Amino acid sequence: MSAEKKHGSLVHLGAGALSGVTSCVLLQPFDLVKTRLQQSQIQQGHSKGLGTIAKTIQNVVAADGIQGLWRGTLPSLLRNAPGTSLYFYFLNHTKHYCLAVEQKFTKDSTRTKLSPSSNMVIGASSRALAGFLLMPGTILKVQFESSLYKYAGVAGAIRDIWRRNGVRGFFVGAVPTAIRDAPYAGLYLLLYEAIKNQERAMAQRRNMLLPETTVTMVAGVAAGLAASYITQPFDMVKTRMQLRPHEYMSVVQSFRKIYMEETFRGFFRGISLRVLRKGVQASLVFTLYEWVLRSNTRNSETPSAKLGA
């Protein structure tokens, strides 16, 4: 990532929370329908399960009304708002540390951009750490979205998970989640920064002035789409392990079971929803996050702010 004005930790946490809450509420139906599609093979054996996306939406609305598409929004908020905040907090601190290391290694104190490999490392490590810390929220989110669990509220769900599996119940699927999230975030950040640089270079060659919001949104969608496709099989394994931990007991066994029962195509159940959701979410999250940082920079550079020293 390129260097920018250094903001306080609270600014990064606040910007991350705002972007996380906004994207979570707007895109919750995508997550719910994806989870229902991914559970369908569990419910129906070798049959088509819930079938198409349209049929799945119809079933949800018929059973719970239009508001049923937002089932699981509260646990999603409990997971995504602090999760996105922590991700950007870790990302910011890791970025400055890696930039200092690269400046020292290359003996170039004027260096302002990280190498592609550094972008990939800091994206992967930041997402993996934030994801592990918020894993209990991920468990609640997935189980609320599925139709296999009929929780009346978050407190009841926590008690039920604790009663059935103890502490381990809140960390089921942690390995495939990390294997999914770390490469996704690393690939995403690498592609995001590369696409942004290409957009700016192309605009400069054509003597165009692209709004920064346009640059970040286009880069966010493109990077999110590509990274989602690559990491989709791990998303499927994670969901199955979290919905039926007694049937899908380890990463290797889950991969084998899905492949034997559903072939390679089984790993890509719900891919269109995840790709669309991830692409739009990533674009919203990074656009809002960078907008908050730019707004904070402009506010801090007003005449009154400069005279306040």
Side-chain angles (χ1 to χ4, degrees):
M1 292 177 78
S2 58
E4 72 273 329
K5 175 182 173 65
K6 195 169 183 178
H7 301 273
S9 296
L10 286 178
V11 174
H12 288 279
L13 287 169
L18 173 64
S19 58
V21 168
T22 303
S23 64
C24 180
V25 173
L26 290 177
L27 302 175
Q28 177 60 23
F30 289 88
D31 258 358
L32 181 135
V33 176
K34 175 187 75 77
T35 299
R36 296 291 175 93
L37 285 171
Q38 289 183 334
Q39 78 174 41
S40 61
Q41 188 69 18
I42 298 174
Q43 287 185 309
Q44 303 292 339
H46 293 282
S47 67
K48 290 180 65 177
L50 294 178
T52 64
I53 292 172
K55 183 64 175 176
T56 304
I57 295 172
Q58 182 182 346
N59 289 344
V60 172
V61 173
D64 303 313
I66 193 71
Q67 68 271 18
L69 293 171
W70 273 266
R71 177 176 170 79
T73 299
L74 179 57
S76 290
L77 285 172
L78 293 175
R79 188 255 179 257
N80 286 336
T84 308
S85 294
L86 286 173
Y87 168 63
F88 281 116
Y89 176 81
F90 295 143
L91 191 70
N92 173 61
H93 283 272
T94 310
K95 176 190 66 176
H96 288 292
Y97 173 77
C98 286
L99 185 59
V101 170
E102 287 195 358
Q103 287 174 338
K104 184 176 181 179
F105 182 77
T106 60
K107 298 181 180 179
D108 180 8
S109 60
T110 62
R111 187 185 185 104
T112 59
K113 291 184 177 180
L114 288 167
S115 65
S117 58
S118 290
N119 275 324
M120 193 165 186
V121 169
I122 67 173
S125 58
S126 298
R127 177 62 69 189
L129 182 55
F132 179 77
L133 293 176
L134 273 298
M135 180 55 59
T138 302
I139 300 292
L140 287 171
K141 172 183 176 297
V142 170
Q143 294 192 0
F144 260 91
E145 289 168 353
S146 102
S147 61
L148 301 175
Y149 300 86
K150 297 296 183 182
Y151 297 132
V154 173
I158 292 173
R159 286 194 299 270
D160 189 61
I161 294 170
W162 176 268
R163 178 181 56 79
R164 285 186 283 113
N165 297 303
V167 174
R168 182 180 179 279
F170 294 100
F171 290 88
V172 172
V175 173
T177 300
I179 296 174
R180 178 200 66 173
D181 286 351
Y184 173 87
L187 286 167
Y188 177 85
L189 195 60
L190 183 152
L191 294 169
Y192 176 75
E193 292 296 332
I195 294 169
K196 280 203 307 183
N197 291 337
Q198 286 295 318
E199 287 182 87
R200 290 167 178 159
M202 181 183 68
Q204 190 173 26
R205 286 196 301 269
R206 298 185 179 183
N207 200 26
M208 296 168 57
L209 182 62
L210 286 176
E212 190 63 20
T213 301
T214 301
V215 173
T216 55
M217 287 190 72
V218 172
V221 170
L225 292 176
S228 295
Y229 263 107
I230 295 170
T231 58
Q232 170 63 17
F234 294 100
D235 184 68
M236 173 60 81
V237 170
K238 177 217 58 128
T239 301
R240 293 290 176 87
M241 289 182 69
Q242 290 172 345
L243 291 179
R244 286 290 180 86
H246 298 299
E247 293 182 27
Y248 297 84
M249 296 171 287
S250 71
V251 175
V252 174
Q253 180 262 347
S254 297
F255 264 103
R256 185 183 298 114
K257 181 176 174 63
I258 293 171
Y259 179 76
M260 294 299 293
E261 295 179 355
E262 305 169 48
T263 73
F264 185 72
R265 293 179 59 186
F267 292 107
F268 290 87
R269 187 181 295 274
I271 180 63
S272 58
L273 285 164
R274 180 170 183 257
V275 164
L276 182 59
R277 193 244 192 228
K278 281 291 187 181
V280 175
Q281 180 196 33
S283 178
L284 278 173
V285 164
F286 270 78
T287 298
L288 282 170
Y289 173 75
E290 295 196 1
W291 175 78
V292 171
L293 296 189
R294 288 197 299 274
S295 298
N296 182 70
T297 300
R298 286 196 295 269
N299 291 338
S300 67
E301 290 177 351
T302 59
S304 59
K306 291 178 180 178
L307 292 173

